[in-house]
């Protein structure tokens, strides 16, 4: 589906993308892909975006609208992701937009369908007529693109009229405590996942928790092989598949944030602090997509920890000693305590 709006009278923001998502759910062409036989939204939603400021997974506006969709549709999980800088060419959405430009080559759109809204200096003198003329031009483009077929799939195009209320900002309606429990937001991915607490979330609609007992997807870790076995190696390691990363992450005792090995986030400030360290809460070790989000979380983090300390926890003394000896900064090379045939085990378990 392609939604066209007037750039002069409207703007592309997180809320408009949320509106597009709801419009997709209402189209018959997407019914099989988006809805269950009971016409409920499928419980796992994956959204690929181009990473612009209006829809980037790290933005708080994106978190607000997708948290609302997560709650309204009783979803088990929502994943919003984008490609790293320089890799947008691999985005299938970007590649599929190229034929649309070809279809409009040589097309001249009328600007005065309902009369001219411009004066002799080409300045707008009648905003109401201007909006109608833009709408007429947008509908012509929608008709042209609706006749297109891309990769054997028909294009569904429509013109979106500008809203009467120009203020479209959406505020995050959940508490920081809820966010810390259900959200993991990084530079290129937003994860919102249901918890198993029945007083907080409804029953799981899928068996997602059986495959991902840690709930959130594991971070991409560069893995290299040595004579001693597998090791984490920033320089020469390669990133593995999802299930391989899941198996490896479960073998590690270190808590690694999702962006730990992201090359674009290894820069340091004048104090020698990495961006990742400045975005990580020192109390609970939760990583945030921006420094401002971390500061907002930090204000209530201590209170959250006090509540957790009051609850009875059955913890082995050996586990406590290991937690106290933990290091926040990941070393350049860490040997994984597994044998050299770990990938053979993974392949046999998951049929890879």
């Amino acid at each position: 589906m392609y939604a066209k709006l007037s750039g002069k009278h409207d703007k592309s923001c997180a809320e408009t993308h949320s509106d597009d998502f709801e419009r997709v759910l209402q189209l018959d062409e997407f019914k099989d892909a988006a809805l269950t036989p009971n016409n409920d939204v499928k419980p796992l939603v994956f959204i690929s975006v181009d990473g612009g400021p209006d829809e980037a997974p790290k933005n708080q506006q994106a978190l607000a609208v997708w948290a609302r969709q997560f709650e309204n549709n009783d979803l088990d999980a929502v994943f919003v992701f984008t490609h790293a800088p320089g890799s947008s060419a691999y985005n299938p959405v970007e590649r599929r937009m190229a034929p649309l430009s070809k279809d409009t080559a040589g097309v001249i759109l009328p600007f005065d369908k309902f009369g001219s809204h411009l004066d002799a200096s080409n300045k707008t003198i009648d905003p109401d007529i201007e909006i109608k003329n833009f709408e007429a031009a947008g509908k012509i483009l929608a008709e042209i693109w609706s006749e297109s077929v891309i990769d054997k799939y028909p294009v569904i195009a429509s013109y979106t009229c500008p809203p009467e209320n120009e203020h479209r900002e959406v505020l995050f309606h959940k508490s920081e405590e809820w966010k810390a429990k259900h959200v993991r937001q990084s530079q290129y991915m937003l994860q919102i996942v249901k918890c198993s607490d029945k007083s907080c979330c409804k029953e799981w609609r899928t068996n997602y928790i059986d495959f991902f007992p840690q709930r959130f997807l594991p971070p991409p870790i560069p893995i290299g092989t040595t004579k001693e076995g597998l090791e984490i190696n920033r320089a020469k390691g390669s990133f593995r598949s999802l299930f391989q990363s899941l198996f490896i992450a479960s073998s590690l005792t270190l808590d690694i944030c999702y962006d730990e090995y992201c090359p674009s986030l290894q820069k340091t400030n004048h104090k020698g602090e990495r961006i990742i360290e400045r975005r990580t809460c020192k109390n609970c070790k939760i990583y945030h997509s921006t420094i401002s989000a971390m500061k907002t979380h930090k204000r209530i983090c201590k209170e959250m920890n006090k509540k957790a300390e009051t609850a009875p926890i059955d913890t082995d003394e050996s586990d406590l000693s290991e937690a106290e000896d933990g290091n926040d900064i990941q070393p350049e090379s860490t040997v994984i305590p597994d044998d050299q045939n770990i990938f053979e085990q993974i392949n046999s378990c998951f049929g890879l």
Side-chain angles (χ1 to χ4, degrees):
M1 191 199 81
Y2 184 76
K4 181 66 177 175
L5 51 82
S6 172
K8 183 175 182 179
H9 307 101
D10 199 357
K11 62 179 181 180
S12 178
C13 60
E15 180 67 14
T16 59
H17 294 296
S18 178
D19 293 342
D20 293 339
F21 175 74
E22 294 179 359
R23 192 176 296 112
V24 165
L25 299 179
Q26 297 173 2
L27 295 174
D28 293 336
E29 291 83 357
F30 291 88
K31 186 175 182 180
D32 292 338
L35 303 179
T36 65
N38 296 327
N39 288 329
D40 296 323
V41 181
K42 290 187 176 180
L44 298 177
V45 174
F46 300 84
I47 305 292
S48 176
V49 299
D50 63 7
D54 55 335
E55 57 183 353
K58 70 175 184 177
N59 292 343
Q60 298 307 301
Q61 285 288 298
L63 169 59
V65 298
W66 292 114
R68 185 182 62 191
Q69 294 290 352
F70 170 81
E71 184 178 40
N72 292 345
N73 295 299
D74 185 26
L75 304 177
D76 282 356
V78 177
F79 302 96
V80 183
F81 50 91
T82 185
H83 288 76
S87 303
S88 61
Y90 299 99
N91 188 341
V93 178
E94 296 280 357
R95 295 198 302 268
R96 282 165 173 75
M97 291 184 67
L100 300 179
S101 299
K102 181 180 179 181
D103 293 339
T104 56
V107 176
I108 300 177
L109 299 175
F111 73 96
D112 55 355
K113 173 72 173 179
F114 296 94
S116 179
H117 56 274
L118 305 174
D119 60 11
S121 301
N122 289 331
K123 295 182 179 179
T124 300
I125 57 175
D126 194 327
D128 294 334
I129 294 180
E130 181 184 49
I131 292 176
K132 292 181 180 180
N133 286 333
F134 270 77
E135 180 180 355
K139 289 182 177 180
I140 292 176
L141 289 175
E143 290 177 3
I144 295 174
W145 286 329
S146 294
E147 297 177 357
S148 302
V149 176
I150 301 178
D151 292 343
K152 299 181 180 180
Y153 290 97
V155 175
I156 311 298
S158 64
Y159 177 79
T160 303
C161 296
E164 297 180 359
N165 183 9
E166 296 182 359
H167 185 73
R168 307 191 67 164
E169 183 179 1
V170 181
L171 299 178
F172 185 67
H173 64 289
K174 291 294 187 179
S175 66
E176 285 296 319
E177 186 174 359
W178 185 93
K179 180 180 175 181
K181 192 174 184 180
H182 300 84
V183 177
R184 290 297 179 269
Q185 197 170 13
S186 55
Q187 185 77 8
Y188 306 115
M189 174 173 277
L190 167 63
Q191 305 182 60
I192 307 177
V193 182
K194 182 182 292 184
C195 70
S196 298
D197 184 358
K198 295 182 180 180
S199 63
C200 177
C201 295
K202 296 180 181 180
E203 292 283 351
W204 290 89
R205 296 171 57 193
T206 65
N207 60 346
Y208 173 89
I209 194 65
D210 295 333
F211 289 92
F212 301 93
Q214 79 291 344
R215 292 174 52 223
F216 299 103
L217 298 183
I221 303 174
I223 300 298
T225 56
T226 65
K227 294 181 179 179
E228 290 77 18
L230 300 176
E231 69 173 11
I232 299 176
N233 192 311
R234 293 180 185 269
K236 298 181 180 180
S238 59
F239 296 104
R240 307 296 175 164
S241 66
L242 172 60
F243 284 108
Q244 290 174 338
S245 297
L246 180 65
F247 192 92
I248 293 170
S250 64
S251 303
L252 299 176
T253 57
L254 297 175
D255 187 13
I256 302 176
C257 74
Y258 197 85
D259 287 342
E260 175 65 37
Y261 299 102
C262 181
S264 62
L265 296 177
Q266 303 305 317
K267 296 181 180 179
T268 58
N269 60 7
H270 64 284
K271 297 181 180 179
E273 298 174 326
R274 292 190 305 158
I275 297 177
I276 292 177
E277 295 170 2
R278 298 173 64 196
R279 292 179 178 180
T280 303
C281 178
K282 295 181 180 180
N283 295 323
C284 63
K285 309 304 179 185
I286 293 181
Y287 172 76
H288 300 268
S289 60
T290 62
I291 296 176
S292 61
M294 188 278 294
K295 291 181 178 179
T296 302
H297 162 84
K298 191 176 181 180
R299 297 190 189 104
I300 55 88
C301 183
K302 292 183 179 180
E303 296 180 3
M304 292 167 50
N305 288 340
K306 289 181 180 179
K307 292 181 180 179
E309 290 174 0
T310 57
I313 301 176
D314 185 13
T315 307
D316 187 63
E317 293 182 358
S318 61
D319 294 335
L320 291 174
S321 61
E322 291 178 2
E324 293 174 354
D325 295 335
N327 193 351
D328 294 343
I329 301 177
Q330 180 71 22
E332 289 293 317
S333 179
T334 303
V335 177
I336 298 176
D338 264 292
D339 57 70
Q340 290 180 312
N341 295 323
I342 183 172
F343 288 113
E344 293 182 5
Q345 298 177 20
I346 298 173
N347 292 338
S348 62
C349 290
F350 297 105
L352 302 178

